[in-house]
């Protein structure tokens, strides 16, 4: 039976009791509008812990002023069914006024990593993410917290915060779940109309194409970005390529030479919808 | 018997075990050079909890470039004796390289409150404080954490951070401990030569004088600062008055009218030594 908690102090008190009983808590923070990507995280959390907690909170702090906070999909009833069907124990659905009461003044920031890639286009976004994730961890007190690799930069920044602040939680990174045509699952995919949805496959196609060129030694590191931009801009509905390049998997610096592990990452707009995707390419030594 | 731990992970693992046994942990974070002010915090922590942990860490993050990080008094053997004599259970003494390993990138900041009073004169100081206190709380996992009221702004900022980030700890504020002539105890008092030490009593004298004027209704709120500056600057060894005024106890805004509770606070230099003191003045309704 899925228990639903909305008050932060009640959630914290509940978790405190689990911890006294030595229960392991697996935690999946989400913004709702759940898809199979989220569900795969919940299933993994269930497998690895005694109690599974999912949060749904559309965090205003991580949206820019001209971003889609207001229209972000909110489908709580459908989310509840999905969570119940996979045996989630607790759904934590706090209200904005309880997460950010009047007079809220604190920010958690991970420097450098937060200003690169998506951070360069979404000012303050990752500060909003680290601040809310820090709060959620303190409330839910998880043993393990689960993030999808689709938001690679987010996962990396949360790991850095957890290490830097000695937060007593294991950050688990899970592979990206894709539609049958390769599009990475995302709550924002519902924004796409039929034509846009078809054209959105270009992100993964480009990543896989570059991967195969790299693995076959048919491309130099310095040409990666150029060829990615070419493929992406040949797709008529792609409106704005924010970045498409190869990066260091730890520092997110642009690479001039291949390493053993390489991050290919893309952010672009199709219509008004911003899409991101990435792939880790491992070169054999 | 005082147990000494220097590795953050070992401290965290130790605290985790106490929590599984439902032990209450009282925690006093310090920079060492302990005096009776610290000891009164430790005694209170001992009275209110099962386990008492004291940390000694001269936190480089909270010192400005032209401040006294290098010459800050370090007297570990004497500190150990004092802690042992009051029955401290655990001393946590981490090294800088373990608290801030290479590649450390995270900052916890409390806006507004951190930029006022001492924050206006010590850029980045309170960010250094909140970042290290957040780390120490995550490592030591205390039920209660103890701060002296002498550092009123620090205590207020830590309380704000704890509330904002839902950190599961009670912040306990303890009264300022003073020498027999009224000087607030501080590790930095050892910097004062004989003449400076005598002249340093001017802070508390000024606070008490203003308090009596307020309680007798003999001063208007707008005159408080002027009279404080006059008293302080009449003391020949006072070199630089950074602030001396009356403030809101919650927001640290300057007051134009008295409230039920009022914060009188002073920061100044005597010789090269920066001293602070404060007093909460409660007016009868």
């Amino acid at each position: 039976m899925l228990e639903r908690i909305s008050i932060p102090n009640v959630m914290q008190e509940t978790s405190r009791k689990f911890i006294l009983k030595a229960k392991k808590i697996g935690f999946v923070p989400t913004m709702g509008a759940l898809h199979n990507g989220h569900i795969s995280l919940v299933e993994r959390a269930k497998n690895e812990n005694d109690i599974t907690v999912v949060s749904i909170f559309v965090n205003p702090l991580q949206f820019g002023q001209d971003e889609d906070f207001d229209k972000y999909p909110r489908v709580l009833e459908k989310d509840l069914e999905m969570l119940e069907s996979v045996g989630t124990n607790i759904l934590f659905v706090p209200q904005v006024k309880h997460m950010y009461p009047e007079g809220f003044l604190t920010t958690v920031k991970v420097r450098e990593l937060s200003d690169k890639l998506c951070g360069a286009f979404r000012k303050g976004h990752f500060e909003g993410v680290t601040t809310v994730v820090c709060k959620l961890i303190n409330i839910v007190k998880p043993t393990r917290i689960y993030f999808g690799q689709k938001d690679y930069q987010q996962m990396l920044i949360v790991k850095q915060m957890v290490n830097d602040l000695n937060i007593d939680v294991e950050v688990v990174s899970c592979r990206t779940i894709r539609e049958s045509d390769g599009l990475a699952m995302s709550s924002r995919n519902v924004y796409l109309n039929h034509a846009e949805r078809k054209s959105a496959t270009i992100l993964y196609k480009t990543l896989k194409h570059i991967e195969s060129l790299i693995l076959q030694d048919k491309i130099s590191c310095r040409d990666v970005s150029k060829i990615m931009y070419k493929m992406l801009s040949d797709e008529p509905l792609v409106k704005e390529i924010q970045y498409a390049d190869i990066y260091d998997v730890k520092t997110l610096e642009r690479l001039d030479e291949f390493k053993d592990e390489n991050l290919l990452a893309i952010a672009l707009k199709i219509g008004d919808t911003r899409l991101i995707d990435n792939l880790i390419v491992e070169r054999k030594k």
Side-chain angles (χ1 to χ4, degrees), chain A:
Chain A
M1 195 48 208
L2 180 64
E3 182 182 0
R4 199 164 142 180
I5 298 177
S6 66
I7 305 295
N9 288 346
V10 174
M11 182 69 239
Q12 195 173 51
E13 179 60 30
T14 304
S15 287
R16 220 185 272 131
K17 286 179 192 159
F18 286 131
I19 288 167
L20 274 175
K21 293 182 197 159
K23 300 286 187 201
K24 304 284 186 199
I25 301 171
F27 177 39
V28 182
T30 82
M31 300 208 299
L34 303 178
H35 49 65
N36 284 338
H38 297 112
I39 297 305
S40 77
L41 301 180
V42 178
E43 284 170 340
R44 174 128 179 224
K46 245 193 110 55
N47 281 334
E48 297 179 346
N49 303 277
D50 304 308
I51 305 288
T52 304
V53 179
V54 174
S55 66
I56 294 182
F57 180 61
V58 185
N59 174 33
L61 240 57
Q62 71 190 70
F63 287 80
Q65 280 202 320
D66 52 350
E67 289 186 355
D68 57 344
F69 176 71
D70 288 328
K71 74 162 186 168
Y72 196 86
R74 288 160 171 92
V75 287
L76 187 59
E77 289 311 310
K78 182 163 169 274
D79 290 345
L80 279 169
E81 272 176 41
M82 288 178 80
L83 292 174
E84 188 124 39
S85 74
V86 289
T88 311
N89 301 105
I90 296 174
L91 171 63
F92 177 50
V93 272
Q95 292 180 268
V96 171
K97 67 180 177 188
H98 292 143
M99 288 295 274
Y100 304 116
E102 220 190 294
F104 185 91
L105 293 174
T106 305
T107 304
V108 181
K109 173 158 189 180
V110 175
R111 294 182 302 279
E112 299 178 25
L113 290 179
S114 293
D115 300 325
K116 292 176 175 152
L117 303 184
C118 290
F121 296 91
R122 306 186 69 188
K123 296 291 175 205
H125 168 68
F126 287 113
E127 275 177 60
V129 170
T130 42
T131 302
V132 81
V133 171
C134 185
K135 283 172 66 70
L136 288 169
I137 291 174
N138 286 329
I139 295 167
V140 175
K141 297 173 165 284
T143 315
R144 298 184 185 86
I145 185 167
Y146 296 81
F147 289 93
Q149 197 203 293
K150 192 214 132 205
D151 299 293
Y152 183 87
Q153 185 176 12
Q154 168 176 279
M155 180 274 297
L156 197 68
I157 288 171
V158 168
K159 272 194 177 165
Q160 178 82 35
M161 170 185 76
V162 162
N163 284 333
D164 283 356
L165 296 183
N166 307 89
I167 299 175
D168 194 10
V169 68
E170 181 188 339
V171 179
V172 183
S173 168
C174 305
R175 73 183 180 84
T176 303
I177 305 297
R178 299 178 180 281
E179 304 287 355
S180 55
D181 62 1
L183 178 65
M185 290 198 185
S186 163
S187 303
R188 288 191 170 95
N189 290 351
V190 299
Y191 296 154
L192 300 167
N193 67 29
H194 186 70
E196 289 168 347
R197 171 65 188 78
K198 278 182 73 175
S199 113
T201 56
I202 192 62
L203 285 88
Y204 191 55
K205 270 184 207 149
T206 302
L207 294 170
K208 291 300 281 184
H209 179 65
I210 301 290
E211 179 187 49
S212 77
L213 292 179
I214 293 173
L215 296 180
Q216 295 170 71
D217 262 329
K218 286 187 178 166
I219 189 171
S220 78
C221 190
R222 285 161 195 271
D223 286 338
V224 165
S225 184
K226 193 173 63 187
I227 297 178
M228 290 173 87
Y229 268 83
K230 174 81 174 72
M231 273 189 79
L232 295 168
S233 48
D234 280 351
E235 177 62 44
L237 293 183
V238 167
K239 219 174 67 178
E240 177 194 340
I241 303 170
Q242 295 189 339
Y243 59 81
D245 214 325
I246 182 164
Y247 302 95
D248 185 284
V249 292
K250 285 190 177 147
T251 65
L252 302 181
E253 296 284 353
R254 286 197 57 244
L255 289 181
D256 285 327
E257 284 179 29
F258 293 123
K259 298 202 162 185
D260 294 343
E261 284 194 319
N262 308 273
L263 171 69
L264 297 175
I266 298 172
L268 53 73
K269 283 192 175 176
I270 291 187
D272 290 333
T273 305
R274 189 174 182 278
L275 299 173
I276 61 174
D277 201 354
N278 69 78
L279 202 61
I280 305 282
V281 179
E282 290 184 47
R283 292 169 80 236
K284 309 241 163 52
K285 281 177 227 182

